[in-house]
Amino acid sequence: MEGSAAEERLAGPQPPGAMEEASQAEGFTSVRRRKRRAGEAAMETGGGGGPLLRKRPDFPPLTGEALGGGGKAEMRKIPVPANRYTPLKENWMKIYTPIVEHLQLQIRFNLKTRNVEIKTCQETKDISALTKASDFVKAFMLGFQVEDALALVRLDDLFLESFEVTDVKPLKGDHLSRAIGRIAGKGGKTKFTIENVTRTRIVLADSKVHILGSFQNIKMARTAICNLILGSPPSKVYGSVRAVASRAAERF
């Protein structure tokens, strides 16, 4: 083997045809490399030798009519629970006025389906008006006062969050009742304190908790309520909430 290798080196470079024949004789198949055409290379580099720059698409801004579905009316339906029929009847004008006069929407209460129906019309200019109105009515149906729920229409950074006491800890019977009592406090004192410190509004509906406020404030109120459900005494929860609220106020 060493002698044959030395003979090949002495023989010098061989033509490509002889190399292919020798490799086929030894049992190997040679693979030819495809040469790239000059035209393809020029197309990829743009012809000038530099990289090909793709032009970014430029779309014209959409008008309000195009965003609103081209004049097509949209509708939202909010179901009304049985315990909110009387409050809805008493506060109907307070709900009707901001939705119709300020948001330029149409609203009605469907007696057959027991739903409040909100619909866009030609006068509706703001595309987010329908979402604001549905959130406003939904907050009222959950048990919030009209004045508190109206903040969802006026401000953009307010949200609603709902959860159940049993989501935090699986309680039953008297244990569940005691947890709800710890959240409310004597005469609603604990709930009012959490609302005032965190600047939120809280509704306790049986084992459900609804919180209305900004994202950061909802987080503080939710943490306090979860600690009460897990068994922390109210005095300890007050101290921790006040500390968190003071840190948040200093930050801003």
Side-chain angles (χ1 to χ4, degrees), residues 88-141:
L88 179 65
K89 192 183 294 183
E90 292 173 354
N91 297 283
W92 178 253
M93 287 310 297
K94 292 181 181 178
I95 296 170
Y96 172 89
T97 304
I99 290 177
V100 174
E101 293 185 2
H102 298 292
L103 298 177
Q104 306 295 325
L105 296 168
Q106 296 176 348
I107 183 172
R108 72 173 183 179
F109 177 58
N110 194 326
L111 292 169
K112 289 184 178 180
T113 59
R114 302 284 186 176
N115 288 334
V116 173
E117 298 177 354
I118 306 171
K119 187 180 177 182
T120 58
C121 58
Q122 292 180 351
E123 287 78 17
T124 307
K125 296 177 182 178
D126 189 5
I127 57 172
S128 64
L130 188 62
T131 305
K132 286 182 178 179
S134 62
D135 288 344
F136 166 47
V137 176
K138 197 179 296 180
F140 177 77
M141 296 308 165

Side-chain angles (χ1 to χ4, degrees), residues 130-156:
L130 188 62
T131 305
K132 286 182 178 179
S134 62
D135 288 344
F136 166 47
V137 176
K138 197 179 296 180
F140 177 77
M141 296 308 165
L142 290 175
F144 292 97
Q145 296 292 326
V146 178
E147 292 77 15
D148 297 333
L150 192 59
L152 287 165
V153 176
R154 293 175 177 168
L155 302 173
D156 292 330

Side-chain angles (χ1 to χ4, degrees), residues 163-169 171 176 179-180 183 207 209 229:
F163 64 93
E164 291 201 24
V165 175
T166 51
D167 294 340
V168 182
K169 191 176 182 181
L171 300 170
L176 179 60
I180 296 169
I183 297 169
S207 63
V209 181
I229 293 168

Side-chain angles (χ1 to χ4, degrees), residues 15-57:
M19 291 281 290
E20 288 176 7
E21 290 176 3
S23 61
Q24 287 177 2
E26 292 177 4
F28 297 105
T29 56
S30 62
V31 179
R32 292 185 180 179
R33 291 187 179 181
R34 291 180 60 188
K35 291 185 179 179
R36 296 174 69 184
R37 295 178 183 175
E40 292 178 2
M43 284 175 65
E44 289 187 7
T45 56
L52 182 64
L53 297 175
R54 298 184 182 277
K55 190 177 180 182
R56 295 180 68 179

